[in-house]
Amino acid sequence: ANSKGPIVEIVEKELDFGHIEVLKDWTKTLRVKNKSPIKADFHVFTKNKNSIFKPLHKQGVLEDFGSIDIQVLCTPDDNVSFTDTLHFVIKEGIDIDIPLKAKGVGSTIYCKEDLKLITFGMQYTFKYDHKEIFVENKGRRPQRLTWLPKKPESKKKNAEKQEQKPIKDRSE
């Protein structure tokens, strides 16, 4: 006698998220098909425990000749390339590995406040004031944060801008 377990097939051979913004959740879907008259118990997990990739459906039963969509969540926490492997363990069947790829884009520095303009409002001269700003690094690597005051434009630069304006000929 020659016996066989369930025959499971995954349509996508690789899951590439491409260039995606860091610190945001992105999902892609894998279509899993059971090509046999036998129910298929499955378990899904990533190779790396500290992975940016997470299957949203970690285990289940795939009905005979049935199919299911497995969503994979990707949350990059750095602006580098990430790779991992998604393991599908099929009970009494052949296990399947799917390569996962993503490239994080953007900054991992996070602040609730908008830092484009920090205003202190109206202040009295010679009175000291402070403002607390909570900035968090949500990335994997240490970062250096530098604050520089914006220099006001000098009177000389303003005068140069005014000189560059075209002068109308009054003789016309």
Side-chain angles (χ1 to χ4, degrees):
N2 187 8
S3 62
K4 234 190 225 191
I7 300 168
V8 175
E9 177 186 275
I10 299 177
V11 177
E12 296 81 5
K13 302 301 176 208
E14 175 184 74
L15 207 54
D16 187 358
F17 285 83
H19 290 71
I20 55 177
E21 191 173 345
V22 296
L23 306 180
K24 291 192 176 179
D25 293 337
W26 304 88
T27 57
K28 283 206 173 227
T29 304
L30 288 171
R31 169 73 84 180
V32 183
K33 295 181 179 180
N34 185 354
K35 299 243 175 190
S36 65
I38 306 167
K39 290 182 181 180
D41 289 336
F42 67 90
H43 183 72
V44 185
F45 58 95
T46 55
K47 177 182 173 184
N48 300 315
K49 287 190 178 200
N50 190 18
S51 180
I52 64 164
F53 304 100
K54 304 273 185 273
L56 297 182
H57 196 101
K58 296 190 188 269
Q59 62 186 16
V61 177
L62 193 53
E63 295 297 321
D64 47 318
F65 297 109
S67 65
I68 189 169
D69 288 335
I70 304 283
Q71 286 192 321
V72 179
L73 177 73
C74 178
T75 310
D77 57 3
D78 207 344
N79 55 356
V80 296
S81 294
F82 293 94
T83 58
D84 204 346
T85 303
L86 192 65
H87 295 294
F88 278 85
V89 178
I90 314 296
K91 187 177 179 182
E92 298 177 5
I94 298 172
D95 297 345
I96 303 169
D97 292 339
I98 301 293
L100 303 169
K101 294 191 316 186
K103 168 85 167 95
V105 176
S107 175
T108 58
I109 301 295
Y110 173 77
C111 183
K112 283 184 183 178
E113 299 178 48
D114 183 16
L115 297 179
K116 288 187 173 54
L117 177 65
I118 300 172
T119 179
F120 285 87
M122 187 176 286
Q123 298 293 322
Y124 290 109
T125 308
F126 301 112
K127 181 180 179 241
Y128 291 100
D129 200 0
H130 74 278
K131 186 171 195 161
E132 287 187 19
I133 299 171
F134 183 72
V135 180
E136 184 179 1
N137 177 15
K138 291 192 170 190
R140 295 177 181 223
R141 299 179 290 169
Q143 306 242 0
R144 170 177 266 159
L145 189 63
T146 307
W147 296 90
L148 298 173
K150 184 177 179 182
K151 295 180 182 178
E153 287 189 21
S154 68
K155 291 180 183 179
K156 185 178 180 181
K157 282 187 181 177
N158 284 335
E160 287 174 3
K161 283 183 182 178
Q162 288 178 354
E163 286 177 15
Q164 292 175 356
K165 291 181 182 177
I167 300 173
K168 290 183 181 178
D169 187 8
R170 295 183 188 189
S171 61
E172 292 178 8

